[in-house]
């Protein structure tokens, strides 16, 4: 006789007698999906522009992405928020980014409802919704959906992937990571990469391996149970890391430059039906130099940077293809609803000349052409954190203007593919209906026949803001159901309404025209002037590249759209408008632990993320290690933060005590003890005392006096002319070893301390040792 089951919460249907021979059992029914339910594979690329996939006209080889377009649908009018965390929050919740508290990336969170970085639990994730319908739920890759200060070993974990409905997670929590030395989390704990670069390790391959493993693990137990996989490679966000042979495949292919690339891609887009035959290419961006104006050396560097990016994108396509091949091999491919989207347009974080180290962008410290050229052969490798120049950013968003962080279409109009042979009849067709990424969740739910839940884990759910576009799957002529959509990103604003688009750029249509850089704050006076004089109007139904500003001709329409923008802003917690960037990066935020001036670290513990590590930059501080040196001496790292592209490290090498500060990979400043630390238990101390103020605009942190002490006696002293001003990225702090890439080339990681390390204490109180006689001895000894 079969089992009797009943839904939990309903009456027990069995019989309960005095003994089991007088009773009949019944079991709470397990949650099972409807038979035949499709799998869902959501692929979220990072910083990949409209004109960078092969199926969108690019010369970059993306055969697996192209095959999805050939077997499904390519959308030309899908919109994002123009930045990663905000977009990713929309993709998983179906709600607008400010309503998710995600006005910007988590690292820029501020204390306002639309800006604090904490996605409300009433805005449920798609993973939480599908979990309740019998789906296995997995995530691999980039998360970036919780406050940065919650990324440590203390959590809170209710906002980590496993707290938001994903049963398994493997990836990284922050905005970017090295592809060679990633900051990995497995479920709720940190793990080391399973290999090293010299052993062939790369994050792209690792994520594909884990995706396949997760699916296979469940299939061997419950082969008919559907899965939802949220697959988010770090690509093509910086660093553009890729094995050299992949970049070399593109040798010479970008030597004609970004102007030629745009013309070539635009022509291809027209032939593919992605752009109308009468469409115009957007204007030449004033912030981008003409290719022919560059020196031969600058062109050589820029071309190589693009070769590396192209190799990175092709490498990503290849490893995603391995996941698709596994679905085919296991018979799951046809009944898997696959959606592929980029979180925003191509990124301009490399600056006008590009960079070998993106950390320089975050610290306002761009390198010179000569400095970049010295590292040209290292681009894409483990010792760089490279990003291409603005010209390739602009070209990557062909045919649109501008880029990531801005609400012109170059930032917001991004690739989107849908593939589902078992559920969609159409093949290799283009769809031009307007949509926004908040529409993805309701579309998936409609395709699966699932209603949005009223509650999740007892929390009443807010209305989903998106509307389904599933009706467009088999009907190319179906009308768009999203009529209006607002945009705001770092003070840059726009609104779409029925083929018309109003844009209010900040600080201006370009930095050159504004005469101001990115990240300038907006004052009340600025805002009044912006609303009165600087909104632009485009009829994008006829002018998709936003070339013809019709604000003067259609003032009534523009005024209506501005008013509608403020209506939307009121609905979704958009105010207060904030154009700042670096200032937000340095905002003090609530921490899980109460503020303190003394931090104690022990070896063997997890790496401490930058956002909860002691903030030592630009301030007096000390680092004190309690160690025991065995007979014969000891070596290794005592405490370090950062990586080979920037950071600091305190270590023993050949028995000698050292401290080194790696300033954005441009220079390394060291202080050493001179003599080896003797056998026995000792207190080893580093002190930094600023001797000047930081110059944030010039990318220079506070200069200062660096001193080393052994048991309270001065053992070394040096002047550091400059330090890192704003942030370290990667910025993890580790005790007793240097995981990842070495902060300095003096040693090979992990360089674990070989003596006994009891504790390392970081003190931010400013209380420093004063030893004038010792200082004089050191000074005299160096004459």
């Amino acid at each position: 006789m079969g089992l009797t089951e009943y839904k939990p919460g309903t009456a027990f249907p069995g019989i309960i007698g005095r003994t089991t021979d007088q009773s009949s059992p019944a079991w709470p029914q397990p949650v099972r999906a409807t038979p035949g339910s499709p799998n869902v594979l959501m692929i979220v690329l990072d910083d990949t522009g409209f004109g960078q996939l092969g199926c969108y006209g690019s010369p970059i080889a993306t055969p697996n992405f192209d095959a999805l377009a050939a077997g499904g649908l390519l959308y030309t009018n899908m919109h994002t928020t123009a930045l990663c965390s905000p977009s990713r929050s929309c993709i998983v919740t179906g709600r607008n980014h400010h309503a998710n508290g995600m006005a910007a990336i988590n690292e820029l969170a501020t204390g306002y409802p639309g800006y604090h970085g904490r996605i409300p639990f009433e805005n449920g994730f798609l993973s939480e919704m599908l979990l309740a319908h019998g789906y296995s739920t997995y995530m691999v890759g980039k998360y970036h959906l919780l406050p940065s200060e919650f990324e440590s070993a203390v959590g809170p974990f209710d906002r980590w992937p496993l707290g938001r409905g994903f049963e398994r997670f493997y990836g990284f929590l922050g905005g970017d990571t090295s592809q060679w030395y990633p900051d990995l989390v497995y479920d709720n704990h940190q793990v080391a990469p399973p290999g090293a670069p010299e052993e062939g390790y790369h994050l792209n391959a690792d994520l594909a391996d884990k995706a396949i493993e997760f699916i296979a693990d469940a299939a061997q137990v419950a082969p008919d149970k559907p899965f939802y996989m949220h697959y988010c490679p770090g690509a093509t966000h910086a660093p553009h890391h890729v094995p050299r042979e992949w970049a070399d495949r593109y040798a010479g292919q970008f030597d004609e430059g970004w102007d030629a690339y745009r013309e070539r891609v635009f022509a291809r887009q027209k032939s593919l039906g992605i752009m109308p035959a009468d469409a115009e290419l957007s204007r030449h961006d004033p912030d981008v130099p003409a290719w022919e104006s560059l020196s031969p050396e600058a062109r050589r560097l820029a071309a190589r940077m693009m070769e590396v990016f192209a190799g990175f994108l092709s490498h990503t396509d290849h490893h995603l293809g391995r996941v698709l091949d596994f679905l085919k091999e296991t018979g799951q491919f046809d009944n898997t609803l696959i959606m592929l989207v980029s979180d925003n347009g191509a990124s301009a974080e490399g600056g006008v000349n590009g960079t070998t180290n993106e950390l320089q962008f975050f610290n306002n410290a761009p390198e010179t052409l000569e400095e970049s050229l010295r590292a040209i052969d290292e681009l894409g490798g483990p010792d760089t954190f490279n990003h291409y120049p603005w010209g390739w950013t602009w070209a990557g968003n062909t045919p649109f203007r501008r880029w990531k962080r801005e609400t012109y279409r170059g930032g917001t109009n991004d690739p989107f593919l849908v593939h589902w042979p078992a559920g969609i009849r159409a093949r290799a067709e283009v769809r031009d209906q307007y949509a926004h990424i908040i529409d993805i969740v309701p579309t998936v739910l409609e395709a699966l026949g699932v209603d949005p839940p009223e509650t999740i884990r007892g929390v009443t759910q807010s209305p989903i803001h998106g509307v389904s576009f599933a009706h467009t799957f088999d009907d190319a002529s179906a009308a768009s159901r999203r009529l209006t959509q607002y945009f705001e990103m770092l003070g840059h604003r726009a609104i779409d309404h029925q083929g018309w688009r109003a844009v209010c750029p900040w600080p201006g249509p370009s930095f050159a025209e504004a005469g101001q850089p990115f990240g300038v704050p907006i004052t009340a006076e600025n805002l009044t002037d912006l609303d009165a004089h600087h909104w632009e109007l485009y009829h994008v139904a006829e002018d998709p590249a936003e070339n013809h500003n019709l604000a003067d001709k259609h003032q009534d329409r523009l005024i209506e759209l501005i008013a509608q923008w403020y209506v939307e802003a009121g609905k979704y917690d958009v105010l207060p408008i904030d154009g700042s960037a670096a200032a937000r990066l340095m905002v003090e935020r609530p921490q899980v632990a109460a503020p303190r001036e003394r931090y104690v670290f022990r070896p063997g513990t997890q790496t401490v993320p930058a956002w909860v590590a002691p903030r030592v930059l630009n301030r007096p501080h000390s680092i004190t290690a309690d160690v025991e040196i065995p007979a014969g001496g000891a070596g290794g790292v005592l405490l370090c933060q950062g990586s080979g592209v920037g950071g600091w490290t305190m270590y023993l090498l050949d028995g000698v005590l050292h401290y080194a500060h790696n300033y954005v990979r441009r220079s390394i400043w060291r202080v050493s003890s001179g003599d080896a630390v003797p056998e026995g238990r000792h207190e080893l101390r580093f002190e930094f005392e600023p001797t000047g103020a930081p110059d944030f605009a010039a990318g220079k942190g506070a200069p200062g006096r660096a001193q080393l002490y052994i048991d309270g006696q001065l053992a070394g002293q040096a002047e550091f002319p400059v330090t890192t001003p704003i942030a370290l990225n990667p910025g993890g702090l580790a005790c007793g070893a240097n995981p990842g890439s070495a902060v300095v080339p003096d040693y090979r990681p992990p360089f674990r301390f070989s003596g006994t390390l009891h504790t390392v204490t970081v003190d931010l109180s400013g209380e420093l040792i004063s030893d004038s006689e010792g200082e004089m001895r050191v000074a005299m000894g160096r004459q």
Side-chain angles (χ1 to χ4, degrees):
M1 188 172 75
L3 292 175
T4 300
E5 297 180 345
Y6 63 98
K7 290 185 178 181
T10 63
F12 176 71
I15 299 172
I16 299 179
R18 291 187 304 157
T19 59
T20 56
D21 62 311
Q22 297 177 326
S23 306
S24 298
W27 296 85
Q29 186 181 73
V31 177
R32 300 188 186 98
T34 302
S37 294
N39 304 311
V40 179
L41 174 59
M42 191 73 64
I43 304 162
V44 185
L45 300 179
D46 203 330
D47 291 0
T48 306
F50 190 87
Q52 290 182 323
L53 300 184
C55 51
Y56 280 83
S58 170
I60 300 172
T62 54
N64 292 293
F65 299 154
D66 299 353
L68 294 178
L73 305 172
L74 182 153
Y75 283 75
T76 66
N77 216 352
M78 173 58 78
H79 291 261
T80 65
T81 71
L83 202 62
C84 42
S85 292
S87 288
R88 291 165 188 271
S89 78
C90 296
I91 292 168
V92 295
T93 68
R95 282 87 167 185
N96 281 303
H97 60 300
H98 293 88
N100 287 326
M102 302 288 272
I105 56 175
N106 299 306
E107 293 83 350
L108 301 182
T110 58
Y112 301 100
Y115 292 71
H116 53 51
R118 294 156 170 78
I119 301 176
F121 292 111
E122 58 264 31
N123 292 3
F125 281 25
L126 182 60
S127 48
E128 296 171 305
M129 301 177 198
L130 297 186
L131 193 63
H133 287 271
Y135 274 72
S136 296
T137 56
Y138 313 127
M139 182 174 181
V140 295
K142 173 175 173 174
Y143 187 58
H144 211 198
L145 290 175
L146 79 165
S148 302
E149 55 271 21
F150 291 0
E151 293 177 10
S152 77
V154 74
F157 296 101
D158 56 354
R159 296 185 185 277
W160 285 39
L162 267 62
R164 296 305 308 248
F166 291 106
E167 296 172 301
R168 303 187 73 179
F169 171 69
Y170 185 82
F172 56 101
L173 296 176
D176 64 12
T177 195
S178 169
Q179 299 285 313
W180 301 111
Y181 299 105
D183 300 318
L184 286 176
V185 167
Y186 200 153
D187 293 339
N188 277 358
H189 65 282
Q190 292 178 3
V191 294
E198 56 269 25
E199 299 168 327
Y201 177 85
H202 191 280
L203 182 58
N204 264 340
D206 194 10
L207 294 180
D209 289 344
K210 273 294 181 289
I212 293 170
E213 176 187 320
F214 286 175
I215 296 169
D217 281 349
Q220 62 189 1
V221 176
D224 296 326
K225 185 177 184 181
F227 67 81
Y228 161 48
M229 167 75 73
H230 202 59
Y231 189 100
C232 304
T236 51
H237 196 291
H240 299 160
H241 280 164
V242 70
R244 186 183 182 94
E245 60 269 21
W246 284 83
D248 287 348
R249 296 180 183 186
Y250 290 95
Q253 293 192 32
F254 303 106
D255 289 354
E256 293 183 352
W258 40 68
D259 301 282
Y261 178 100
R262 293 183 80 230
E263 295 288 348
R264 176 182 176 186
V265 170
F266 188 48
R268 180 68 176 151
Q269 288 172 341
K270 287 186 173 182
S271 69
L272 292 171
I274 293 170
M275 280 290 120
D278 60 352
E280 299 175 352
L281 191 58
S282 64
R283 66 171 185 163
H284 192 288
D285 195 285
D287 288 331
V288 175
W291 182 259
E292 294 305 317
S293 72
L294 302 180
S295 68
E297 289 302 292
R299 291 199 295 268
R300 181 168 73 93
L301 175 67
R304 181 56 180 173
M305 287 180 164
M306 186 58 181
E307 291 167 10
V308 172
F309 172 85
F312 188 26
L313 180 54
S314 291
H315 186 256
T316 304
D317 174 274
H318 168 76
H319 285 289
L320 189 278
R322 293 174 46 224
V323 178
L324 302 181
D325 286 344
F326 176 76
L327 295 179
K328 294 172 184 175
E329 175 189 329
T330 55
Q332 300 179 80
F333 184 69
D334 284 354
N335 199 29
T336 298
L337 172 58
I338 301 173
M339 292 183 172
L340 179 148
V341 69
S342 176
D343 59 2
N344 46 245
S347 169
E349 287 154 20
V352 67
N353 297 316
T355 181
T356 65
N357 180 9
E358 192 190 33
L359 183 61
Q360 296 165 358
F361 167 82
F362 296 118
N363 284 284
N364 296 325
E367 63 195 355
T368 64
L369 174 62
E370 291 71 27
E371 289 170 323
S372 294
L373 283 167
R374 285 198 290 270
I376 191 170
D377 291 332
E378 302 174 55
L379 291 173
D383 296 328
T384 62
F385 220 80
N386 48 295
H387 194 301
Y388 55 25
W390 283 350
W392 292 121
T393 309
W394 170 61
N397 294 323
T398 301
F400 305 124
R401 61 193 293 179
R402 302 302 284 176
W403 42 58
K404 173 185 175 181
R405 306 193 313 258
E406 301 183 13
T407 63
Y408 286 116
R409 294 186 81 186
T412 68
N413 200 162
D414 298 304
F416 181 66
L417 306 174
V418 178
H419 185 277
W420 183 24
I424 300 173
R425 295 186 302 275
R427 301 285 186 274
E429 293 187 10
V430 173
R431 294 289 183 267
D432 297 319
Q433 290 89 351
Y434 186 93
H436 187 271
I437 45 175
I438 58 173
D439 302 327
I440 289 176
V441 164
T443 302
V444 171
L445 294 180
E446 181 178 342
L448 271 53
V450 171
D451 293 325
E454 295 182 2
T455 63
I456 292 177
R457 289 197 285 263
V459 177
T460 300
Q461 294 296 287
S462 67
I464 289 177
H465 302 150
V467 294
S468 172
F469 53 84
H471 66 294
T472 69
F473 285 174
D474 283 313
D475 187 356
S477 63
S480 301
R481 291 178 179 167
R482 171 148 301 286
L483 305 179
T484 305
Q485 179 62 41
Y486 84 94
F487 300 84
E488 187 280 332
M489 187 51 61
L490 302 166
H492 208 288
R493 295 174 288 160
I495 186 166
D496 285 326
H497 181 70
Q498 294 185 319
W500 288 84
R501 191 159 217 268
V503 184
C504 190
W506 177 256
S510 67
F511 305 136
E513 290 164 302
Q516 298 186 89
F518 164 71
V520 179
I522 294 176
T523 65
E525 184 179 358
N526 292 148
L527 186 59
T528 298
D529 180 64
L530 286 168
D531 284 340
H533 304 293
H534 295 283
W535 280 89
E536 302 165 2
L537 180 67
Y538 300 98
H539 192 194
V540 288
E542 298 178 358
D543 176 25
E546 298 170 301
N547 281 319
H548 304 288
N549 182 5
L550 304 177
D552 291 339
K553 292 183 179 180
H554 297 280
Q555 286 193 2
D556 290 348
R557 185 184 295 273
L558 178 60
I559 290 170
E560 289 177 0
L561 286 176
I562 296 171
Q564 185 63 41
W565 187 92
Y566 275 99
V567 170
E568 301 298 301
K571 286 181 186 177
Y572 301 117
D573 287 332
V574 180
L575 302 179
I577 300 167
D578 188 352
S580 66
R584 287 201 235 181
L585 192 66
M586 295 183 284
V587 163
E588 185 175 356
R589 302 177 184 89
Q591 302 292 317
V592 175
R596 64 192 191 277
E597 295 181 332
R598 190 170 180 271
Y599 297 73
V600 179
F601 301 99
R602 291 177 170 80
T605 52
Q606 292 191 15
T607 298
V608 178
W611 297 98
V612 294
R615 296 192 178 192
V616 300
L617 300 180
N618 306 309
R619 66 192 298 176
H621 62 274
S622 66
I623 303 170
T624 304
D626 179 359
V627 304
E628 290 184 49
I629 306 298
V637 169
L638 302 172
L639 195 69
C640 69
Q641 183 176 10
S643 70
V645 297
W648 56 264
T649 177
M650 184 177 176
Y651 58 102
L652 269 70
L653 183 64
D654 297 326
V656 176
L657 177 62
H658 302 268
Y659 176 93
H661 186 101
N662 180 340
Y663 171 62
V664 297
R665 196 176 176 265
R666 184 171 303 156
S667 55
I668 297 176
W669 306 104
R670 295 179 174 85
V671 60
S672 302
S673 65
D675 296 328
V677 179
E679 178 183 341
R681 188 159 184 170
H682 299 282
E683 181 183 274
L684 310 181
R685 182 178 175 97
F686 166 78
E687 292 186 354
F688 180 78
E689 182 178 3
T691 55
D695 185 348
F696 296 118
K700 296 180 179 180
R705 181 174 298 110
Q707 298 178 321
L708 291 175
Y709 293 84
I710 300 176
D711 298 325
Q713 298 297 309
L714 185 66
Q717 178 173 299
E719 297 294 323
F720 289 2
V722 65
T723 55
T724 305
I726 299 174
L728 299 172
N729 181 45
L733 182 146
C735 183
N738 183 159
S741 65
V743 174
V744 292
D746 305 10
Y747 55 76
R748 294 190 61 182
F751 200 42
R752 299 185 188 281
F753 185 63
S754 60
T756 300
L757 178 58
H758 295 285
T759 61
V760 181
T761 302
V762 178
D763 192 308
L764 306 179
S765 67
E767 296 179 4
L768 305 177
I769 293 174
S770 177
D771 181 0
S772 57
E773 290 185 10
E775 291 172 16
M776 181 62 72
R777 288 195 302 273
V778 171
M780 292 300 292
R782 294 194 173 187
Q783 295 300 314

